[in-house]
Amino acid sequence: MGSSEFSLFQPSPKRSVLHKAPSLIADGFLFVGGASLALSVVWALLTFINPTTISFDNIIAWNAGPCGPDLRSDPPEPTFYDDENLSYAFGEPVKDWDSKRREWLKLHPSFAAGAAVDNRVLLVTGSQPTVCKNPVGDHLQLRLFKNKVDYCRIHGLDIFYNNVLLDPKGTGFWAKYPLLRAAMLAHPESEWIWWVDSDAVLTDMEFKLPLEKYKDHNLVVHGWWNMLYEQKSWTSLNAGVLLIRNCQWSLNLLDKWASMGPQGPDPKNWGKIQKSLIKDKAYPGSDDQSALIYLLIKEKSKWADKIYLESEYNLHGYWLGIVDGLDGISKGYMEIDREVDLLRRRHAEKVSLFYGQMREKYMREKGIWRENKRRPFVTHFTGCEPCSGEHNGMYTWEACWNGMQKALNFADNQVLRRFGFVHPDLLNSSWVSPLPFDFPDA
Ligand code: UDP
Ligand code: MN
């Protein structure tokens, strides 16, 4: 999209908004001050009523949770945040990140527990700064984002949506690299950053990332080693969904990766080098997927042992092979629900994962584990370009549109069920009907 459109749709920030900031901060102090005053009064009253059982510690515990992250304090000891030479932007590499992050975690023990034990994950996604050219593009972006928010709420993950170019040269699929670097610095408490392309739909709301499996790896993408080394194919892996560990190795990889794109000195030449290595590469310029394939082939000893190519489940699944099977998969899951009484039990959304685990166990025991019976974890509409509408000529826009409706409604059905409703027709996004008690056995 041209810069004229950019300026047309991006009014400069209003002064009134900027000037409001100090008063908002002051309001914040007033609120915190007021809240602690109220808390002290409650505490005084409660200790007065029953001085033996109620302590101030209990009250704080109700408020913040004794084991949860402490969101209200930041110790005065200097950390990497206080180093004026540390830059969030590409240019100067970040050094000693592992020890800097460790030091920060030591000063923030309530986060350290989460980072180590739960493998805390931050989902990062985003889209372009301007209005979509495709008239239905922004509607689709909203639904695609809602889908990720739903997943994160159910799994207790943090999410960050970005729609600015942190590096003006890094457009399109290159936009994620400066963002991933900044996200690592902004979230030292997150062990993993999970990048999910905006055009990817999470189509199994109960599936939990098997992070334990990746404990010796720093980057996870969907792919196949034999296809990579034997065929050197562009589709031997996909860079649209990736899990990257928050560590120095990853920062080095991001620097290297982005240096082959428009942020680097010679993207045109990198496009040619990639094309000569990867015969089925269609895009003429340098692209990030080819850049990763290049690194795995040409700098194998430097990177490959820390990269995990996942193919046991759809960390990325190509939409074209998935969408026609979604109705059948829904039916299969309903049959399981008919067989297992507990899976039909209505429950609060917050405890969905308990039932998800129950279903997983049942499916494994029954041998319903492989794809085409299971919900695909991620359905990626790569090539559909929902925002620009400039989809790959291999298929029609109608196929993309219908596929996206199906995948989004398929995922939404898993969410809506906890709210008592269902989309009876995956191709009709507006129509929902209430679910009867004991569905689907009713
Ligand atoms: N993207 C972004 N900012 C932009 C343009 C794109 O963050 O200005 C992201 C967006 O999430 C998009 C991804 O980059 O999904 C990669 O592009 P796309 O999905 O169109 O590539 P494809 O999967 O079709 O190869
Ligand atoms: Mn994509």
Side-chain angles (χ1 to χ4, degrees), residues 125-129 141 161-165 170-176 179 195-200 234 238 240 289 380-386:
T125 179
S127 55
Q128 63 179 56
Q141 299 285 37
Y161 196 93
N162 173 66
N163 69 334
V164 288
L165 294 178
T171 53
F173 36 71
W174 290 105
K176 60 181 174 256
L179 174 57
W195 168 265
V196 185
D197 264 11
S198 63
D199 60 348
W234 190 76
N238 188 279
Q289 191 158 303
H380 183 189
F381 288 85
T382 177
C384 276
E385 301 295 326

Side-chain angles (χ1 to χ4, degrees), residues 365-380:
E365 279 166 12
K366 282 238 158 185
I368 315 169
W369 155 245
R370 287 278 144 207
E371 294 310 331
N372 81 25
K373 292 233 172 176
R374 281 181 74 85
R375 293 168 181 154
F377 182 37
V378 176
T379 306
H380 183 189

Side-chain angles (χ1 to χ4, degrees), residues 27 76 112 126 142 186 225 283 325 347 363 366 392 396 417 437 439:
D27 289 352
L142 177 66
W225 290 111
Y283 180 70
H347 55 264
M363 286 180 78
K366 282 238 158 185
N392 188 319
T396 60
R417 186 163 173 185
F437 186 79
F439 175 83

Side-chain angles (χ1 to χ4, degrees), residues 68-263:
D70 178 3
L71 305 176
R72 294 167 185 219
S73 68
D74 196 13
E77 288 86 343
T79 67
F80 65 89
Y81 287 116
D82 301 295
D83 173 4
E84 63 177 317
N85 294 317
L86 186 128
S87 161
Y88 288 82
F90 274 129
E92 216 28 57
V94 178
K95 293 199 188 93
D96 293 330
W97 176 239
D98 296 340
S99 57
K100 285 173 181 162
R101 191 178 159 228
R102 208 175 310 122
E103 284 307 309
W104 187 91
L105 283 169
K106 238 191 253 166
L107 290 168
H108 299 79
S110 71
F111 289 99
V117 179
D118 301 337
N119 273 312
R120 190 176 287 274
V121 176
L122 170 69
L123 191 156
V124 178
T125 179
S127 55
Q128 63 179 56
T130 48
V131 171
C132 289
K133 238 197 290 182
N134 184 1
V136 292
D138 286 302
H139 167 74
L140 285 170
Q141 299 285 37
L142 177 66
R143 291 203 67 194
L144 290 159
F145 181 46
K146 171 196 151 42
N147 163 258
K148 294 172 184 85
V149 170
D150 283 337
Y151 181 89
C152 288
R153 187 182 61 258
I154 292 167
H155 289 260
L157 307 189
D158 285 335
I159 183 163
F160 179 65
Y161 196 93
N162 173 66
N163 69 334
V164 288
L165 294 178
L166 298 186
D167 181 335
K169 285 197 229 145
T171 53
F173 36 71
W174 290 105
K176 60 181 174 256
Y177 297 95
L179 174 57
L180 289 173
R181 170 182 162 129
M184 285 185 193
L185 302 188
H187 282 269
E189 84 291 355
S190 290
E191 179 65 17
W192 292 97
I193 310 288
W194 182 22
W195 168 265
V196 185
D197 264 11
S198 63
D199 60 348
V201 186
L202 303 166
T203 34
D204 187 347
M205 289 296 177
E206 288 172 350
F207 189 84
K208 218 167 147 345
L209 286 164
L211 295 173
E212 180 54 27
K213 201 170 152 181
Y214 311 134
K215 62 181 190 311
D216 298 325
H217 294 85
N218 296 335
L219 176 74
V220 188
V221 292
H222 197 97
W224 300 266
W225 290 111
N226 58 343
M227 199 170 166
L228 175 74
Y229 289 120
E230 286 159 28
Q231 296 167 33
K232 301 188 176 63
S233 166
W234 190 76
T235 53
S236 59
L237 57 82
N238 188 279
V241 181
L242 57 89
L243 260 171
I244 188 161
R245 193 183 291 281
N246 190 352
C247 67
Q248 182 67 49
W249 181 97
S250 302
L251 287 169
N252 296 348
L253 177 74
L254 292 177
D255 283 348
K256 180 78 198 184
W257 206 338
S259 73
M260 289 183 258
Q263 290 116 309

